[in-house]
Amino acid sequence: MLRKSCYLLFLLIAIASCKSSKPAIITSKKDGTKKAKYEGNLNIRLTKNDSKKSSGKQENISITSSSSLITCDDTDLLIDLLIDASLDNVGSPYRYGGTTKSGFDCSGLLFTTFKNHNIILPRTSSEMSKVGKDIRLNNAKKGDLIFFSTNGKGTINHVGFVVDVRNDDVQFVHSSTQKGVIISSTQEAYYKKTYISTRRIFE
């Protein structure tokens, strides 16, 4: 009887160890792609080139005008990946002309984040404000670019990337000259006063 009990106990332990060695169940496409460490396999393209399918490794695409929007096989997933990548830089210092974790300027943060996902944006906030399509702030959603004039001249010189929208509260990640890469809100008095426009670059 004792021998039989020991055998059953050994069998249960063996089964449990086998179960624990199985890979975790992936419950969403987003989780699956993140676990696979995104390798540019979403077939990113511009709307004007929708008929041109990429083959093999994803090539860089450049968005340079308001006539083109970015699309891919799963645009929502791509936006989430870009948001996650930009938020990974929160805490990095501000550096004029910077494009690395050792220091970013506002457009450098977005330029680098997008470039790492095979999308080439213009390099300056002023030029970025000319791509995609203009939308009202109350229609903003995740993935939009948001622009400000912080130089007192009324001209665009600052850009952020919308990471969340809660009613009238549009939250964006950006590299500020004083605090480096942070998340701010359009409900803050300073950004209410300096807000200029919002552009949608994803179809």
Side-chain angles (χ1 to χ4, degrees):
M1 184 71 179
L2 180 61
R3 181 178 295 177
K4 187 175 181 180
S5 297
C6 289
Y7 175 77
L8 287 173
L9 181 61
F10 174 80
L11 188 62
L12 287 172
I13 292 172
I15 291 171
S17 64
C18 287
K19 283 185 177 179
S20 64
S21 66
K22 289 182 179 179
I25 296 172
I26 296 170
T27 57
S28 71
K29 186 173 182 181
K30 178 179 175 182
D31 290 342
T33 303
K34 286 183 179 179
K35 286 177 182 292
K37 297 184 178 178
Y38 173 75
E39 296 178 351
N41 58 352
L42 292 178
N43 190 21
I44 303 167
R45 55 197 181 273
L46 299 181
T47 50
K48 68 178 182 180
N49 292 329
D50 273 355
S51 60
K52 182 181 179 182
K53 302 290 184 180
S54 62
S55 59
K57 186 178 179 182
Q58 174 73 53
E59 295 180 359
N60 288 344
I61 63 161
S62 297
I63 179 166
T64 58
S65 72
S66 59
S67 63
S68 299
L69 295 174
I70 300 165
T71 187
C72 74
D73 296 339
D74 191 335
T75 303
D76 289 340
L77 175 58
L78 175 59
I79 290 171
D80 284 342
L81 289 166
L82 289 165
I83 288 173
D84 287 349
S86 62
L87 294 179
D88 281 344
N89 294 301
V90 168
S92 297
Y94 177 87
R95 178 175 294 174
Y96 180 77
T99 57
T100 68
K101 275 185 177 286
S102 63
F104 292 98
D105 64 15
C106 63
S107 56
L109 173 65
L110 298 192
F111 180 83
T112 299
T113 299
F114 278 69
K115 183 179 179 182
N116 288 342
H117 288 77
N118 306 110
I119 302 165
I120 307 300
L121 292 176
R123 179 58 185 86
T124 67
S125 56
S126 176
E127 290 300 311
M128 285 182 190
S129 71
K130 299 173 185 176
V131 302
K133 61 182 178 181
D134 187 57
I135 60 167
R136 294 177 181 271
L137 181 59
N138 60 6
N139 289 328
K141 65 181 185 179
K142 293 194 304 181
D144 291 338
L145 303 183
I146 188 166
F147 298 91
F148 304 86
S149 176
T150 61
N151 56 11
K153 300 177 181 178
T155 57
I156 289 172
N157 69 322
H158 192 66
V159 61
F161 185 45
V162 177
V163 297
D164 198 12
V165 179
R166 302 172 187 176
N167 298 319
D168 294 331
D169 182 8
V170 178
Q171 299 183 2
F172 56 97
V173 63
H174 63 126
S175 185
S176 69
T177 54
Q178 299 297 318
K179 298 180 180 179
V181 180
I182 57 173
I183 299 171
S184 297
S185 166
T186 53
Q187 293 299 300
E188 297 173 39
Y190 178 73
Y191 294 109
K192 276 187 177 181
K193 181 176 70 173
T194 57
Y195 170 78
I196 297 291
S197 66
T198 306
R199 306 286 294 187
R200 180 149 300 153
I201 59 173
F202 291 98
E203 181 75 298

